[in-house]
Amino acid sequence: MLYDSLTYLKTNKMATIKNGVIGKASGKVGAVIASSWKSINYLKGLPKKRTKGMSEEQLIQQERFLTISKFLMPITPILKVGFGLSKTETMAPTNVAMRLNIAQAITGVYPNFALDYSKIDISTGSYLNGGAMAATVAGGILSVDWDTTLNSLYKTKADDQVIILIYQPEKDEFMTAPTPPTRADGTIDIEIPSHLLGGKGHVWIFFTDRKATKVSKSSYLGELDLA
């Protein structure tokens, strides 16, 4: 379970193997599991069987995790780009995104947690975004605009990709531009599928170079009537 992977280091003993005499091991041996991830070998003690129910604090943390994971998991390909530069040796981009948004984007009181969409980040980084950006909807078309001015200091490029994400909560569906526009385009019109019309939509945008070696922090462009 992904929740366990985020909390494992706090609740279980773990050892790292660096070219040990057992080499690259895997599998269960007694009370120990040997495994590897990204060329890092680990020895992990088996978790103890739970003999009593979860505490209220554990239930609260689990519910917070489930609330944000239901939103983030379907957009894993976007998170791999948006958080690709912030990954660590022991944490994948999706887990970095999970940790950040658990801390800042969940509202409400257990067990009735909700998401503050305006505080959700789908990318993080120091690359320049599109300056004055805006999103509008008319006639079933979402129009997104941004500044095309290039910056020599940050070495922005005309062919930088612009990643746009739209979420419709009532249908619990996401959509993006079929082909990401470029910074030089300055605008894009995206046709909204008919089954998503009539509800509200939330829009995010971020910028990345062609090789995703530079990424901007995402910007939330607001809640719009999809009409």
Side-chain angles (χ1 to χ4, degrees):
M1 186 174 181
L2 187 53
Y3 176 77
D4 293 331
S5 70
L6 290 175
T7 59
Y8 200 89
L9 288 176
K10 294 182 179 180
T11 58
N12 297 272
K13 295 181 179 179
M14 178 182 291
T16 302
I17 310 167
K18 295 184 177 180
N19 299 320
V21 293
I22 67 173
K24 183 178 180 180
S26 64
K28 177 181 175 183
V29 181
V32 174
I33 297 176
S35 61
S36 63
W37 185 72
K38 291 192 174 182
S39 300
I40 302 173
N41 297 324
Y42 294 104
L43 286 179
K44 299 180 288 186
L46 288 173
K48 295 181 179 179
K49 292 183 178 180
R50 187 178 298 277
T51 58
K52 59 181 180 179
M54 298 175 70
S55 68
E56 182 178 15
E57 182 178 351
Q58 290 172 321
L59 290 171
I60 290 173
Q61 184 63 17
Q62 178 175 266
E63 188 61 30
R64 287 169 61 86
F65 172 83
L66 291 174
T67 299
I68 194 65
S69 65
K70 288 177 182 178
F71 178 86
L72 293 180
M73 286 300 96
I75 59 171
T76 293
I78 290 178
L79 299 179
K80 286 181 177 179
V81 175
F83 287 86
L85 302 182
S86 60
K87 66 182 180 181
T88 68
E89 289 186 350
T90 57
M91 188 173 290
T94 49
N95 286 356
V96 177
M98 198 80 67
R99 173 175 289 184
L100 174 66
N101 286 294
I102 282 178
Q104 67 186 27
I106 294 180
T107 64
V109 178
Y110 176 79
N112 299 311
F113 288 130
L115 294 177
D116 183 342
Y117 296 107
S118 69
K119 294 182 179 178
I120 290 177
D121 283 326
I122 61 170
S123 74
T124 187
S126 58
Y127 203 40
L128 288 191
N129 58 26
M133 300 173 289
T136 58
V137 177
I141 301 295
L142 169 69
S143 298
V144 182
D145 305 290
W146 57 90
D147 191 343
T148 61
T149 303
L150 300 182
N151 186 293
S152 59
L153 181 62
Y154 284 88
K155 299 181 179 180
T156 56
K157 302 292 183 181
D159 67 349
D160 288 340
Q161 289 194 324
V162 184
I163 309 300
I164 297 167
L165 178 70
I166 306 100
Y167 177 61
Q168 213 273 34
E170 292 179 10
K171 299 293 185 179
D172 191 23
E173 286 191 29
F174 295 88
M175 64 174 292
T176 62
T179 300
T182 65
R183 188 185 292 269
D185 290 331
T187 187
I188 187 174
D189 291 334
I190 303 173
E191 184 176 358
I192 302 170
S194 59
H195 71 283
L196 297 183
L197 295 174
K200 300 286 186 178
H202 300 269
V203 183
W204 294 262
I205 185 172
F206 71 91
F207 292 72
T208 175
D209 68 349
R210 281 288 177 176
K211 296 183 179 180
T213 59
K214 300 176 182 179
V215 179
S216 76
K217 187 179 185 297
S218 61
S219 296
Y220 175 71
L221 299 186
E223 181 183 54
L224 305 174
D225 290 319
L226 302 182

